[in-house]
Amino acid sequence: MLAASDSLAHVYAVIPVFNRREHTLACLRSLCGQDYSALTVVVVDSGSTDGTAEAIASQYPEVILLSRDSSLWWTAATNEGVKWVLEQCEQSDFVLTLNNDTTVKPDYVRRLVEVA
């Protein structure tokens, strides 16, 4: 990920996860390769037991990793991530939610902001 620029709207990508480490790592690879620099990735891990959290922490230290228990499902984990973002962000920032099995092209976030 590139350093954020003050002139760009900031985007927070929230990704709920439970296991599926390889899917999650592929998703993060695609997000960290974005040509849009004002991007923060927030992963909400709902008690993964397959090493997902450890892999994220070691391979993507710039990703915000929120660890929660396994009682969360997709919606509750997404809500946890969005709540965290709302405590950090400015009113002009954007929140993007993604499934952990999503991969995107390098211009994905930039194009979303352009059309927003």
Side-chain angles (χ1 to χ4, degrees), residues 14-110:
V14 175
I15 307 165
V17 303
F18 177 72
N19 292 327
R20 299 178 8 139
R21 178 180 61 222
E22 295 311 313
H23 287 291
T24 302
L25 295 176
C27 178
L28 294 177
R29 260 190 310 279
S30 75
L31 287 173
C32 289
Q34 291 298 294
D35 65 7
Y36 191 83
S37 60
L39 173 64
T40 299
V41 178
V42 180
V43 173
V44 182
D45 179 60
S46 297
S48 293
T49 58
D50 68 346
T52 295
E54 295 82 3
I56 293 168
S58 69
Q59 295 179 40
Y60 297 97
E62 69 276 17
V63 168
I64 305 298
L65 181 61
L66 305 177
S67 296
R68 301 296 188 261
D69 66 40
S70 61
S71 68
L72 299 180
W73 293 86
W74 185 86
T75 303
T78 300
N79 286 340
E80 287 286 316
V82 170
K83 283 193 309 190
W84 185 90
V85 168
L86 291 176
E87 293 172 359
Q88 317 300 316
C89 73
E90 301 294 327
Q91 191 170 6
S92 59
D93 294 341
F94 293 101
V95 178
L96 167 65
T97 60
L98 290 172
N99 289 342
N100 70 330
D101 61 355
T102 303
T103 57
V104 296
K105 294 181 179 181
D107 63 347
Y108 180 73
V109 173
R110 178 178 49 79

